[in-house]
Amino acid sequence: FEIAMTGHPAVSAIFHVSGWSDLTRFLAHGGAFQLQAHLYWYYTYASGQPAPPAEAWPQIFRTVPLSDFFRGAEGVWQLAAAPYDHANITVPVMHVTGWYDYIYPNVLQTYDAIATTPRAPNQRLIIGPWSHNGVLNSWTKVGDVEFGEVAAAGMEWAMNRAAQWYRHVQSGEVNDLSASKPVQYFVMRDNRWIDDDTWPPSNAEYQQWFAREGGGLSRTAPTSHGRTSFVYDPLNPVPTLGGANSHFFPDNLGPKNQAPLHDRDDILVFTSAPFASDLTIAGPVTAVVYASTTGRDTDFTAKLSVVQPDGFIRNIEDGIVRARSLFDGADDSGYVTPGAVHRYEIDCGATALAVKAGERLQVEISSSNFPKYDRNPNTGIDPFAASEFVTATQTVYHSPTYPTHVVVPVLR
């Protein structure tokens, strides 16, 4: 993409598989460092050391302070802060990614940034049910779920599709891409592909689902003033359990049953009534959390799941926001004001997934997802430099004034 931005004549088209352009979202989501993915990369590639055995990683992730581990990585942060002008990319691009590829948000970000510029013709997007590198292999199972042969790709598929793409855009060859719509995305659980003109889908209705007193989740906004509190202890963080995570840790990747986490008292759970009919969620998911904290800085996390009648709680997507990232520079300290209620908008990525009659939506709100993200010490000290961790009492509000909710795109 850097070469394409220069307008170099050697770049006439791009076949973009699980990559990124802007490093900001790649390194940090909502201001929180993506620890699980990047610590492994840094350890094995930047340090030149062999990868430690699997049993060593839980302790490695708890390295304190993290800055000692990442000495010499200043160039990476400088590169991430560099401006990136997608408007200068004017060539056709085929973007390919998967729902459980930890890089997929960056692929969608790149696709959207280029496709919405006036000089970028012929942008295409394929989103399958794959993890990272899944599109280059014939993997059809991610986490605990098998997606079937309709999800199979592989190196031969990728090479053939790339060849079709280049012949189509360079010489006008009539092939499978000629008449197809620009967007193809895989609807999980229905295990089918949808062709569309745009991503996000233009026929999605963005529904607000509100957290209610007593742990309910409803389309109706709260009418009473409620709040629920929990204590976040960074020395006992909520463990990562599935999701769009690093492929280097396959046991912690993809759809997983979230029920084992619900014995913890530092996760708030809000659940809807069973659905009377099937529906399809397709598009970006956003959580809006109104909350206060006793810390000088902290994190808030949100996770959307589907509760199946058999008790399996399938994670859909999750996100995080670092409080100080929203308020840095707002006053002389740059810290969060303890006890003040703030609005935290949490990007929970995107998905395409069918929900069946009798199933329920569920939202989890907490303050950690470790080791997917680094731990916030709650002190206001940069987590990279922190050696001291303290607990913080978090209060989430669900009231007419502070209506905590999740925005879910449902296909009409």
Side-chain angles (χ1 to χ4, degrees):
F1 286 113
E2 285 79 3
I3 298 174
M5 284 195 301
T6 68
H8 196 289
V11 181
S12 61
I14 296 173
F15 191 77
H16 175 215
V17 180
S18 295
W20 58 88
S21 53
D22 186 343
L23 272 174
T24 306
R25 176 64 173 78
F26 177 61
L27 291 172
H29 180 186
F33 180 63
Q34 299 211 51
L35 179 67
Q36 186 186 58
H38 300 310
L39 189 60
Y40 187 101
W41 270 102
Y42 186 81
Y43 198 106
T44 58
Y45 290 91
S47 70
Q49 303 180 53
E55 60 269 18
W57 279 100
Q59 188 58 43
I60 293 174
F61 286 132
R62 291 178 178 268
T63 300
V64 174
L66 280 173
S67 57
D68 285 351
F69 201 101
F70 284 91
R71 284 178 178 168
E74 293 81 3
V76 176
W77 315 134
Q78 294 170 2
L79 182 62
Y84 205 98
D85 191 359
H86 294 92
N88 286 334
I89 299 175
T90 60
V91 299
V93 183
M94 172 75 79
H95 310 259
V96 185
T97 190
W99 292 126
Y100 293 107
D101 185 345
Y102 73 103
I103 298 176
Y104 91 81
N106 307 88
V107 177
L108 295 185
Q109 177 190 43
T110 301
Y111 164 78
D112 182 69
I114 300 174
T116 54
T117 60
R119 298 192 299 153
N122 209 355
Q123 299 296 302
R124 302 258 181 149
L125 176 66
I126 299 175
I127 319 171
W130 311 302
S131 60
H132 191 62
N133 288 344
V135 69
L136 301 179
N137 294 276
S138 298
W139 303 333
T140 58
K141 183 178 181 181
V142 184
D144 294 339
V145 174
E146 169 63 56
F147 293 101
E149 284 303 310
V150 69
M155 183 61 74
E156 183 177 356
W157 176 93
M159 295 301 291
N160 288 340
R161 185 56 60 97
Q164 281 189 327
W165 173 242
Y166 289 128
R167 292 197 300 264
H168 170 63
V169 298
Q170 292 174 339
S171 64
E173 177 183 281
V174 177
N175 55 39
D176 292 344
L177 295 175
S178 305
S180 65
K181 292 186 176 181
V183 174
Q184 293 177 296
Y185 63 91
F186 189 90
V187 179
M188 296 177 285
R189 302 190 76 213
D190 276 351
N191 291 355
R192 64 188 176 97
W193 290 90
I194 287 183
D195 293 347
D196 209 329
D197 292 315
T198 62
W199 180 267
S202 58
N203 63 330
E205 174 193 1
Y206 289 83
Q207 298 181 355
Q208 292 182 322
W209 287 82
F210 295 91
R212 303 297 297 269
E213 191 78 15
L217 187 68
S218 170
R219 292 290 308 280
T220 305
T223 57
S224 60
H225 293 273
R227 65 181 69 177
T228 311
S229 297
F230 64 93
V231 175
Y232 160 49
D233 181 359
L235 295 179
N236 182 28
V238 175
T240 301
L241 184 56
N245 302 326
S246 170
H247 58 301
F248 293 122
F249 302 93
D251 292 339
N252 209 355
L253 179 64
K256 295 284 185 179
N257 187 5
Q258 304 300 299
L261 295 179
H262 292 182
D263 291 335
R264 299 179 62 101
D265 57 9
D266 56 354
I267 301 175
L268 305 185
V269 179
F270 301 92
T271 310
S272 75
F275 285 98
S277 58
D278 297 355
L279 59 87
T280 300
I281 298 171
V285 177
T286 305
V288 178
V289 177
Y290 291 88
S292 61
T293 179
T294 59
R296 298 307 306 272
D297 186 22
T298 197
D299 294 341
F300 286 100
T301 64
K303 181 188 296 176
L304 182 66
S305 301
V306 173
V307 183
Q308 300 175 187
D310 62 1
F312 189 93
I313 303 174
R314 175 176 173 153
N315 51 310
I316 300 176
E317 249 295 14
D318 58 73
I320 191 169
V321 66
R322 181 144 292 166
R324 191 176 177 183
S325 70
L326 300 182
F327 307 109
D328 195 11
D331 55 37
D332 290 340
S333 70
Y335 298 145
V336 177
T337 302
V341 182
H342 293 294
R343 180 184 186 273
Y344 296 95
E345 185 169 315
I346 304 175
D347 173 7
C348 293
T351 192
L353 179 136
V355 181
K356 305 301 182 179
E359 298 180 338
R360 297 175 289 164
L361 281 184
Q362 188 170 88
V363 174
E364 297 176 17
I365 297 174
S366 189
S367 287
S368 50
N369 185 350
F370 180 82
K372 182 171 184 174
Y373 304 109
D374 63 341
R375 298 171 289 170
N376 196 313
N378 296 323
T379 60
I381 300 298
D382 183 345
F384 259 73
S387 297
E388 179 184 2
F389 298 85
V390 301
T391 62
T393 299
Q394 320 286 57
T395 301
V396 174
Y397 296 79
H398 30 86
S399 68
T401 306
Y402 303 119
T404 292
H405 62 277
V406 62
V407 182
V408 180
V410 176
L411 295 189
R412 296 188 183 94

